Amino acid sequence: MTFAAEKPPGLPRPAPSGPVSAGHPLEPLSAEEIAAASAILAAHAGFPTGARFVFVELAEPAKEMVLGFRPGASWDRQAAILLRAPALRATVKALVSITNAEVVSLCEVPGATPFTFEEFMASERAVMADPRWQEAMRKRGVEDFSLAMVDPWASGYTGPHDDPGLRRIARPLTFVRSHPTDNGYARPVEGLIVTVDLDTMEVIEVVDHGVVPFPPKAGNYYPELLAADNVPAFDGQRAPLKPIVITQPEGPSFEVDGHAVSWSNWRLRLGFTPREGLVLHDVRYVDKGVERPVLHRASLSEMYVPYGDPQPTHWNKNVFDEGEYGLGWLANPLTLGCDCLGEIRYFDGFVNDQDGQPVVIRNAICMHEEDASIAWKHTDFRHGRPEVRRSRRLVVSFIATVGNYEYGFYWHFYLDGSIEFEIKLTGILSLGAAPLDASPEFGAMVAPGLYAPNHEHYFSVRLDMRVDGDRNNLYEVDSVAEPVGATNPHGNAWKTVKTHLRSESEAQRLPDPLAGRTWLVASADKKSALGAPTAYKIEPGAYTRPLWQDGSQQANRGVFATKQLWATPFDPEQRYAAGEFIAQHPGGDGLGGAYTAGDRSIEDSDLVLWYTVGAHHVVRPEDWPVMPVAKVGFHIKPFGFFDGSPVLDLPPEQPQHKADGGQGCHC
């Protein structure tokens, strides 16, 4: 169904909002703009009765407009709005001009929207009010239902009955606290599967696979509860370490104008969306006074967490945390000294509630500088003179809580022109109950009667490349041994072999660490002083190929995770690795499906890379009750982009002198 984009004659039309306050087309929507866009849409004659606002975000202008923008120029400031109309069982997308106070487009689209906070809470209440669920809980000795936690797990796709055109559902899992501040994840209700219709908030089905006793021990991590609960890993609070005080008496080295950031030779803009969270825009490096582009846009495009346990409670756990929930609206308000340390510049995140009103996440993005050890050093042994320069990095980060897990996302910019993306995983495991003498085949015991299934985390990072311009090429580089012969008479020679990947089908790549495999993104138009195309290389990090079987829903839905690298030509409609609407989707959209089905050329193209980070999680007892941070990520490094070392111009540091009179290193 398509809704009229203009209000019929005779109905009141909202007054134009006047000139927009944003100074750049990529500035995220302000709270006032979110409220204005929602009001314009809600007043439209075609606004579906009872529709709820899922996401309200900036409709990013066309790339050509952004690259050609000059300060003071005017433009049409627009919002992209995603609605769910429960009474119609419809998903609706709208484009709203805030500048002109009008609805540009409004139409129904196929697919199920991500969860909303409103639905998180309503589904929990619906489940706890259901007599079948209550009966199952009483079988387990639970009478006080207020201590239950009903986590709204996404439904997966278990067959045609899960088609989102028929119903929009969730399959929540239940846990039970022993008191209001208890860690309820220590007491999973094993074998109890509930299906909830999210449009009607009716419990469709309750399936009980049988009672498994609750694990006997608490799993708390609040300091006031640790000693009382006799946690085995806790033997009293350790003595505090002496303070580390990070100060910058002259202030930080970065400058901020709205969401535009300048730091050392780096220039970039920060964005924030309710689905992706932190977004990087227009990343450039100043080289000899010239701003050279590296990336047009970078963001996390999807994350997928499939579990590897066939038990009834766990086999269907395969969650697209970004596409089925959204990371931006789940971002934490960050705290100085805890989440971030040093001279911090925070940026608020603006999202929306289901009435379309703005919600402010204070300090959603943290930015600061960190010392990064040495940038380079050499000591001439003949006369003993050392020369060394310190490195530093700019860190831009946010942290999201998705149910039991926490994910920290960190972009690191280094003085040598390199970029690192790092993901920190922590929080609480998704657990199951088992007999005390169990030895799970597809997981690991973490406490008596409590086990964690094997699982994996896959993160797809979308990199809209712009290395020295709009036309780039992609190469795969392997290191290979030269056969013994005329060109290798001593048997020691090896070389790099560079393969030009010219199409989408060729650019679906797996890592090969034994060959030192990397990928190069090279300019089609610029060459270095040595005559080679200027380039950046992708230096791979952690990745394990998925262990699911062909034909499983995990294999059908999580295709992007089967390759460490994909490449496509730029398409503004292709932003999410598994497709725009992955909830209850059987698969076939996104990478490996609709996005790459045309096998388009990527030669001399406006190139987009999709890099997969993998975290293979075989759980340890040390991961319980709250997981020490695990880190995964990758690097993007200049490769012939500069004429030589980009940190040769770093100024010497002042040597520090020890209190005993000894002298530190010569810097």
Side-chain angles (χ1 to χ4, degrees):
M1 134 186 0
T2 301
F3 303 92
E6 290 295 328
K7 296 182 72 65
L11 290 176
R13 182 188 184 96
S17 61
V20 294
S21 58
H24 190 276
L26 292 177
E27 280 288 304
L29 294 184
S30 66
E32 294 76 16
E33 288 175 320
I34 290 173
S38 299
I40 293 165
L41 182 57
H44 190 272
F47 184 79
T49 301
R52 310 301 290 155
F53 288 81
V54 180
F55 293 153
V56 181
E57 62 184 280
L58 174 69
E60 294 178 14
K63 184 180 292 190
E64 296 77 13
M65 184 269 176
V66 171
L67 296 177
F69 177 77
R70 296 294 178 267
S74 60
W75 74 97
D76 186 7
R77 184 84 160 155
Q78 296 183 344
I81 300 180
L82 181 63
L83 303 172
R84 182 65 184 181
L88 300 175
R89 291 195 176 275
T91 296
V92 179
K93 292 177 68 174
L95 187 64
V96 173
S97 169
I98 303 170
T99 304
N100 299 319
E102 65 181 7
V103 176
V104 178
S105 65
L106 181 65
C107 62
E108 182 179 343
V109 294
T113 56
F115 279 88
T116 65
F117 180 73
E118 184 176 77
E119 291 165 342
F120 271 31
M121 308 314 295
S123 61
E124 181 174 61
R125 291 192 297 269
V127 170
M128 292 171 65
D130 186 83
R132 295 164 293 177
W133 178 87
Q134 294 178 355
E135 179 185 358
M137 297 299 285
R138 290 191 178 100
K139 286 181 182 178
R140 293 161 169 82
V142 177
E143 296 289 345
D144 185 354
F145 302 141
S146 70
L147 294 174
M149 299 167 19
V150 182
D151 279 12
W153 277 72
S155 68
Y157 183 84
T158 63
H161 53 283
D162 287 348
D163 186 327
L166 302 175
R167 58 184 188 172
R168 179 166 168 264
I169 57 173
R171 290 193 168 100
L173 299 177
T174 304
F175 306 83
V176 182
R177 304 179 191 266
S178 59
H179 56 80
T181 58
D182 184 39
N183 175 13
Y185 293 116
R187 295 170 46 128
V189 179
E190 190 70 21
L192 183 59
I193 312 297
V194 182
T195 303
V196 178
D197 187 316
L198 293 173
D199 285 332
T200 64
M201 282 304 160
E202 296 174 330
V203 177
I204 300 170
E205 183 180 55
V206 177
V207 178
D208 191 346
H209 293 274
V211 174
V212 177
F214 289 119
K217 291 188 176 293
N220 287 305
Y221 50 90
Y222 291 137
E224 67 274 16
L225 298 177
L226 284 169
D229 289 339
N230 194 27
V231 175
F234 181 73
D235 189 31
Q237 212 90 47
R238 71 175 72 179
L241 299 173
K242 291 180 171 58
I244 292 178
V245 179
I246 299 173
T247 61
Q248 293 182 271
E250 299 177 27
S253 299
F254 52 75
E255 296 180 0
V256 177
D257 180 9
H259 284 73
V261 176
S262 299
W263 177 75
S264 185
N265 289 21
W266 286 107
R267 306 291 182 266
L268 63 147
R269 302 193 67 89
L270 305 182
F272 191 84
T273 76
R275 177 165 175 160
E276 301 158 292
L278 174 62
V279 178
L280 305 181
H281 295 286
D282 197 16
V283 178
R284 301 168 183 253
Y285 192 92
V286 180
D287 178 29
K288 301 173 184 174
V290 177
E291 290 190 9
R292 299 174 65 186
V294 177
L295 286 161
H296 180 72
R297 192 182 194 275
S299 69
L300 187 70
S301 77
E302 190 54 88
M303 55 179 291
Y304 184 40
V305 189
Y307 283 71
D309 185 343
Q311 297 301 314
T313 314
H314 309 287
W315 77 270
N316 190 44
K317 289 180 177 176
N318 67 120
V319 187
F320 295 83
D321 285 333
E322 181 174 319
E324 293 179 319
Y325 300 98
L327 296 176
W329 72 270
L330 293 173
N332 292 182
L334 301 176
T335 304
L336 181 63
C338 299
D339 301 300
C340 306
L341 190 63
E343 289 281 341
I344 306 299
R345 172 62 159 87
Y346 291 109
F347 299 83
D348 294 339
F350 294 95
V351 294
N352 59 280
D353 66 16
Q354 278 58 77
D355 293 320
Q357 295 306 301
V359 175
V360 182
I361 304 172
R362 297 294 181 195
N363 302 345
I365 299 172
C366 169
M367 185 173 72
H368 66 288
E369 295 174 275
E370 291 180 349
D371 180 83
S373 188
I374 59 173
W376 60 266
K377 179 175 182 176
H378 181 64
T379 300
D380 188 319
F381 71 88
R382 287 180 172 82
H383 52 64
R385 175 179 170 176
E387 197 70 24
V388 61
R389 298 293 184 272
R390 296 296 301 175
S391 185
R392 197 180 290 191
R393 67 186 185 185
L394 180 72
V395 183
V396 188
S397 64
F398 84 107
I399 300 172
T401 298
V402 187
N404 50 294
Y405 255 104
E406 264 76 18
Y407 299 93
F409 302 98
Y410 296 77
W411 289 97
H412 298 149
F413 294 87
Y414 290 88
L415 297 173
D416 65 355
S418 63
I419 302 170
E420 178 186 21
F421 183 62
E422 183 179 60
I423 303 162
K424 298 180 181 179
L425 299 86
T426 181
I428 299 175
L429 303 163
S430 181
L431 299 152
L436 292 177
D437 59 352
S439 181
E441 186 175 1
F442 303 102
M445 301 298 291
V446 297
L450 190 65
Y451 85 102
N454 299 334
H455 61 283
E456 295 168 298
H457 306 255
Y458 292 103
F459 308 84
S460 177
V461 184
R462 181 180 179 273
L463 303 168
D464 185 351
M465 303 302 298
R466 196 165 176 260
V467 176
D468 262 342
D470 298 328
R471 300 195 318 140
N472 288 172
N473 285 298
L474 178 63
Y475 300 88
E476 183 169 87
V477 184
D478 287 344
S479 297
V480 299
E482 181 76 359
V484 173
T487 58
N488 187 18
H490 309 293
N492 67 307
W494 63 271
K495 61 186 178 183
T496 58
V497 175
K498 188 165 71 170
T499 303
H500 191 179
L501 306 174
R502 300 175 186 274
S503 68
E504 289 178 307
S505 61
E506 292 180 6
Q508 300 177 15
R509 312 307 299 169
L510 287 170
D512 188 351
L514 298 182
R517 177 169 292 171
T518 59
W519 295 283
L520 278 185
V521 178
S523 171
D525 301 305
K526 299 289 180 67
K527 292 187 176 181
S528 70
L530 297 176
T534 57
Y536 261 73
K537 77 171 180 177
I538 308 297
E539 194 171 86
Y543 172 83
T544 303
R545 197 169 189 174
L547 297 173
W548 54 57
Q549 296 295 320
D550 290 345
S552 66
Q553 68 158 312
Q554 289 81 1
N556 293 336
R557 305 180 77 217
V559 179
F560 82 82
T562 62
K563 308 294 181 185
Q564 192 174 38
L565 188 76
W566 304 74
T568 61
F570 173 76
D571 182 335
E573 298 301 316
Q574 296 182 351
R575 277 180 41 180
Y576 310 110
E580 185 173 8
F581 297 106
I582 186 58
Q584 297 173 234
H585 199 289
D589 203 357
L591 298 171
Y595 282 15
T596 52
D599 195 17
R600 295 165 293 182
S601 171
I602 57 170
E603 190 171 5
D604 296 341
S605 71
D606 188 350
L607 186 66
V608 176
L609 300 187
W610 310 75
Y611 180 89
T612 307
V613 180
H616 183 78
H617 200 170
V618 178
V619 176
R620 313 170 295 155
E622 290 86 349
D623 290 333
W624 176 252
V626 63
M627 191 173 85
V629 164
K631 302 176 185 178
V632 290
F634 68 101
H635 287 81
I636 309 171
K637 295 183 175 180
F639 194 95
F641 189 78
F642 301 108
D643 293 336
S645 170
V647 288
L648 200 61
D649 60 353
L650 291 181
E653 302 276 354
Q654 282 295 108
Q656 296 182 3
H657 296 271
K658 298 179 181 179
D660 63 4
Q663 188 168 327
C665 65
H666 294 274
C667 300

